[in-house]
């Protein structure tokens, strides 16, 4: 939960120049929505405990929802996902990779804050360079459901990890690719990946217009192998609002 205690502890990691004041809570809610199990963060700091807390809260939410489903109250069940979802084990983990060489970054202090917040069971902080740590990350994480990339070398992320991103709905959140030429070149590269995916790649960017730098978020969703979950929806219920599935 993003309560007072949480905010008090993570404030020590906030570096205003990193531009993640709004992004960190946004990442928390993105991770709460997507409920990823295998998460990679490249470029640790203020954002790290928000992602780790979201993973821990997803576990608690899933447990509470399982209890509701087990009680068998149909009114309570309707807003929940298809029961099959809850049959899968949910044991999320986050790997945070940072080379720990930036003197302005709060990355070296992240582990201590994660320990204070009791978040180390879902999270591992790995010291290393993105370019030379691919094998280490692969062994620790395997396929990626969600990645947050907050380093200049976003292209190195694509070189090392794109094949690991789940083609059935894996989400990437990429910091600051708008508003400068090198970033826009990376965006064009991502657009070129869409052709390789047979057009099945979703891409959108959001800009913070009041800022000159560190002022955008790009979201990529890989859907080449995605199957729309409407096929799993129970028929004739509030989960089937237009009734088309009864035809
Ligand atoms: C912009 S800061 C991250 C800010 C952080 N997400 C926050 O909200 O405070 C970038 C971080 O990435 C790390 N970094 C930069 N290039 C890297 C690379 N090639 N491999 C690994 N870490 C890198 C730096 O050490 C720094 O901690």
């Amino acid at each position: 939960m993003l309560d007072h205690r949480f905010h008090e502890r993570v404030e020590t990691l906030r570096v205003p120049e990193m531009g993640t004041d709004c992004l960190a809570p946004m990442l928390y809610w993105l991770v709460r929505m997507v409920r990823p199990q295998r998460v990679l963060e490249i470029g640790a700091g203020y954002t790290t405990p928000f992602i780790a807390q979201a993973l821990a809260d997803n576990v608690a939410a899933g447990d509470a929802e399982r209890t509701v489903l087990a009680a068998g109250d149909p009114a309570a069940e309707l807003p929940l996902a298809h029961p099959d979802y809850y049959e899968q084990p949910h044991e999320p983990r986050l790997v945070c990779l940072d080379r720990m060489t930036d003197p302005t970054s709060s990355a070296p202090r992240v582990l201590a804050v994660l320990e204070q917040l009791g978040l180390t069971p879902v999270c591992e902080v790995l010291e290393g360079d993105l370019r030379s740590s691919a094998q280490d990350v692969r062994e620790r994480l395997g396929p990626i459901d969600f990645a947050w990339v907050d380093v200049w070398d976003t292209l190195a992320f694509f070189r090392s990890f794109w094949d690991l991103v789940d083609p059935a709905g894996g989400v990437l959140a990429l910091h600051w690719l708008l508003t400068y030429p090198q970033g826009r070149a990376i965006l064009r590269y991502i657009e070129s990946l869409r052709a390789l995916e047979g057009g099945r790649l979703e891409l959108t960017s959001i800009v913070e217009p009041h800022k000159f730098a560190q002022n955008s978020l790009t979201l990529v969703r890989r859907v080449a192998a995605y199957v729309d979950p409407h096929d799993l929806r129970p028929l004739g219920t509030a989960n089937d609002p237009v009734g088309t599935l009864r035809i």
Side-chain angles (χ1 to χ4, degrees):
M1 213 188 341
L2 302 185
D3 56 12
H4 178 68
R5 175 175 168 269
F6 177 89
H7 284 292
E8 210 172 54
R9 297 281 157 91
V10 303
E11 185 58 20
T12 59
L13 299 175
R14 194 170 67 84
V15 179
E17 303 86 281
M18 299 298 178
T20 51
D21 294 51
C22 293
L23 262 170
M26 189 168 178
L27 286 168
Y28 172 86
W29 288 111
L30 275 175
V31 170
R32 291 301 315 274
M33 282 186 75
V34 175
R35 297 203 184 186
Q37 302 234 41
R38 301 149 304 186
V39 181
L40 176 62
E41 177 185 61
I42 301 183
Y46 185 56
T47 45
T48 312
F50 282 86
I51 299 171
Q53 186 67 55
L55 294 180
D57 291 350
N58 283 348
V59 172
D63 289 346
E65 289 155 6
R66 275 190 194 89
T67 307
V68 169
L69 286 169
D73 172 359
E77 286 172 25
L78 281 179
L80 299 181
H82 191 279
D84 283 358
Y85 172 86
Y86 295 93
E87 280 164 22
Q88 313 300 322
H90 192 82
E91 291 157 356
R93 62 189 188 282
L94 166 65
V95 170
C96 313
L97 177 67
D98 199 294
R99 62 186 178 193
M100 307 288 177
T101 50
D102 179 348
T104 65
S105 169
S106 56
R109 289 180 277 117
V110 155
L111 186 58
V113 172
L114 293 170
E115 278 166 354
Q116 287 167 10
L117 292 166
L119 292 172
T120 45
V122 291
C123 184
E124 185 178 7
V125 179
L126 194 61
E127 181 172 344
D129 193 286
L130 167 58
R131 287 169 178 263
S132 52
S133 305
Q135 195 51 38
D136 237 6
V137 171
R138 280 170 183 268
E139 280 162 17
R140 284 175 158 81
L141 208 56
I144 295 169
D145 300 321
F146 188 100
W148 159 240
V149 183
D150 193 5
V151 291
W152 276 106
D153 206 354
T154 305
L155 271 185
F157 166 83
F158 279 92
R159 261 183 242 115
S160 299
F161 298 114
W162 177 245
D163 65 310
L164 284 187
V165 178
D166 183 6
V171 173
L172 307 181
L174 312 169
H175 199 195
W176 196 21
L177 297 180
L178 291 181
T179 73
Y180 65 103
Q182 295 90 333
R184 284 195 291 263
I186 295 171
L187 278 175
R188 284 196 295 277
Y189 171 77
I190 300 170
E191 276 162 13
S192 76
L193 287 177
R194 190 184 282 144
L196 298 174
E197 300 277 295
R200 303 200 70 198
L201 184 78
E202 297 171 358
L203 174 63
T204 193
S205 294
I206 299 164
V207 71
E208 294 177 279
H210 54 293
K211 288 158 70 176
F212 276 125
Q214 304 275 18
N215 58 357
S216 71
L217 167 69
T218 295
L219 290 172
V220 179
R221 194 166 79 112
R222 199 173 181 193
V223 289
Y226 181 70
V227 177
D228 195 309
H230 75 253
D231 293 339
L232 303 175
R233 231 180 270 163
L235 305 187
T237 69
N239 280 325
D240 177 22
V242 290
T244 51
L245 298 172
R246 272 171 285 178
I247 294 166

